[in-house]
Amino acid sequence: MKGSELKTFLINSYHAKTPVMVWGQPGVGKSQIMVQVAESLGIPILDQRLAQMDPVDLRGIPFINEVEGKTYTDWAMPGFLPRVERDGENGILFLDELPSAPQANQAAAYQLILDRKLGDYELPPGWVVFGAGNLAKHRAISVRMSSALANRFGHFEELEVSKDEWETWAIGQKIDQDIISFINFRPALLNDFSPDLHAFPTPRSWEMLNKHMPYLDDSTRFTTIKGFVGEGAAAEFIAFFKHKKDLPEFSDILQNPTTAKVPTEASALYALAGMLASKAEVSNFKVLLQYMERIQPEYQVITIQDALKHNPDLGDTQEFIDWSVKNNSVIL
């Protein structure tokens, strides 16, 4: 299941007020998708981790209450549960990393998940419970979920990583263009889950590496990249990065579109596509298309697709229409 499909199911589940559980390997964006769903619905999301609680934390702290001369034990409900006066009438209570919680904690949440109650507490009508976690085969901390708890959820398993959807997200998040170009060149390295290694490529690890990109130099580049995405991916990324020297200056392309240097190596052409896409504007698009006529059609398509993600206004230009007609067979 792709992220876009999961979002649709989660939105529908929110409207239906049915609890759902999302399963997937570490680092594929389960938690981010939950946040994106809440943002698209315009509602808050409360992220809670049962693994960090004791079972009694869900029940609350007991206190003595006297009514008409009789003494009773009542319960002060935990503050993390949604309250309309504080959190609003609608929202998502997100139990992240739910399978990492001990079974006693999971059992304590039975009533909350299915009956929308916990003792005297009732989940506000506009709120829904969603959960997420890893399967045992992912070798993350995963306590077997009892059949009683599992049957209280709808389940969406094996969230897939879509390169195209990730790229759209990455462009919107200003992920370093070298990373985006490299993933275009080696899409299999966007997500290469390896539970036997400490560092391996996932959307999350590339996002963390992105924060280091402005600070890398020749002495730290390989070690830093390896620390986030693993040695194999780091070696390929470094080799790809070195081909940047084969790229023409962007100013030379604008001034001399018919004579500026055109690289020949595949990795350099992917890097070129990323550079052109990130710098394409309505004002220079005609000149860039002149230059792009000198590279293979498949790299033109990659460049145009990425350019439209960076700047959708390019799709309204006459130059794009003319290029689309001319390259119709390649696009299809």
Side-chain angles (χ1 to χ4, degrees), residues 250-266:
F250 187 69
S251 59
D252 190 30
I253 294 175
L254 294 181
Q255 295 171 12
N256 307 292
T258 60
T259 59
K261 178 182 178 181
V262 175
T264 57
E265 289 286 336

Side-chain angles (χ1 to χ4, degrees), residues 131-179:
N134 311 121
L135 293 163
K137 69 179 182 179
H138 298 138
R139 299 193 191 177
I141 298 175
S142 183
V143 178
R144 180 177 176 81
M145 183 178 287
S146 72
S147 58
L149 178 57
N151 194 239
R152 284 165 161 78
F153 282 112
H155 296 268
F156 301 123
E157 298 189 4
E158 295 301 333
L159 176 62
E160 300 174 9
V161 177
S162 164
K163 194 272 291 183
D164 291 336
E165 291 184 359
W166 175 85
E167 186 179 6
T168 299
W169 171 86
I171 289 173
Q173 295 296 313
K174 310 297 184 185
I175 297 297
D176 189 277
Q177 189 58 52
D178 286 331
I179 293 178

Side-chain angles (χ1 to χ4, degrees), residues 91-107:
I92 296 171
L93 176 59
F94 178 35
L95 304 180
D96 200 2
E97 301 175 1
L98 180 56
S100 67
Q103 284 194 335
N105 294 37
Q106 295 181 21

Side-chain angles (χ1 to χ4, degrees), residues 1 47 65 71 93 149 155 158 179 184 218 232 292-293:
M1 178 184 295
D47 184 334
N65 189 17
T71 302
L93 176 59
L149 178 57
H155 296 268
E158 295 301 333
I179 293 178
N184 262 327
D218 290 342
M292 287 166 51
E293 288 178 354

Side-chain angles (χ1 to χ4, degrees), residues 25-307:
Q25 66 160 78
V28 295
K30 301 182 294 297
S31 301
Q32 271 199 347
I33 286 176
M34 292 288 183
V35 173
Q36 291 169 11
V37 166
E39 290 176 347
S40 68
L41 291 168
I43 58 176
I45 180 170
L46 297 183
D47 184 334
Q48 300 297 332
R49 315 293 171 103
L50 295 188
Q52 300 172 1
M53 302 179 184
D54 290 323
V56 294
D57 290 338
L58 288 170
R59 188 72 174 90
I61 298 175
F63 67 91
I64 296 175
N65 189 17
E66 292 190 6
V67 179
E68 297 179 353
K70 295 182 179 181
T71 302
Y72 300 90
T73 299
D74 284 332
W75 300 85
M77 298 308 300
F80 73 82
L81 294 172
R83 303 199 304 270
V84 171
E85 63 274 13
R86 182 192 65 189
D87 304 308
E89 295 183 354
N90 306 291
I92 296 171
L93 176 59
F94 178 35
L95 304 180
D96 200 2
E97 301 175 1
L98 180 56
S100 67
Q103 284 194 335
N105 294 37
Q106 295 181 21
Y110 282 7
Q111 186 185 22
L112 175 65
I113 293 167
L114 182 62
D115 300 327
R116 303 173 58 85
K117 295 181 179 181
L118 199 58
D120 295 330
Y121 171 83
E122 288 193 27
L123 192 70
W127 283 72
V128 67
V129 179
F130 289 163
N134 311 121
L135 293 163
K137 69 179 182 179
H138 298 138
R139 299 193 191 177
I141 298 175
S142 183
V143 178
R144 180 177 176 81
M145 183 178 287
S146 72
S147 58
L149 178 57
N151 194 239
R152 284 165 161 78
F153 282 112
H155 296 268
F156 301 123
E157 298 189 4
E158 295 301 333
L159 176 62
E160 300 174 9
V161 177
S162 164
K163 194 272 291 183
D164 291 336
E165 291 184 359
W166 175 85
E167 186 179 6
T168 299
W169 171 86
I171 289 173
Q173 295 296 313
K174 310 297 184 185
I175 297 297
D176 189 277
Q177 189 58 52
D178 286 331
I179 293 178
I180 296 174
S181 297
F182 176 67
I183 297 303
N184 262 327
F185 175 59
R186 286 285 280 122
L189 291 179
L190 171 59
N191 184 55
D192 188 16
F193 178 62
S194 181
D196 295 320
L197 299 176
H198 289 136
F200 47 85
T202 66
R204 179 165 59 198
S205 59
W206 285 112
E207 181 184 6
M208 290 191 293
L209 173 61
N210 175 69
K211 298 175 182 178
H212 285 257
M213 292 297 286
Y215 311 108
L216 301 183
D217 55 30
D218 290 342
S219 66
T220 61
R221 183 170 287 109
F222 179 72
T223 302
T224 302
I225 297 172
K226 181 180 72 171
F228 287 100
V229 299
E231 185 170 2
E236 291 199 44
F237 190 27
I238 292 293
F240 176 86
F241 194 83
K242 289 179 179 178
H243 280 295
K244 287 189 69 176
K245 68 179 185 300
D246 297 328
L247 301 186
E249 293 291 334
F250 187 69
S251 59
D252 190 30
I253 294 175
L254 294 181
Q255 295 171 12
N256 307 292
T258 60
T259 59
K261 178 182 178 181
V262 175
T264 57
E265 289 286 336
S267 56
L269 285 166
Y270 275 99
L272 175 68
M275 179 184 73
L276 295 177
S278 65
K279 295 179 179 293
E281 299 176 0
V282 172
S283 59
N284 63 25
F285 198 38
K286 182 176 181 179
V287 175
L288 295 186
L289 288 173
Q290 279 185 278
Y291 175 77
M292 287 166 51
E293 288 178 354
R294 301 168 56 205
I295 64 178
Q296 295 97 313
E298 58 267 32
Y299 295 105
Q300 293 187 41
V301 172
I302 293 170
T303 305
I304 293 296
Q305 289 176 338
D306 286 2

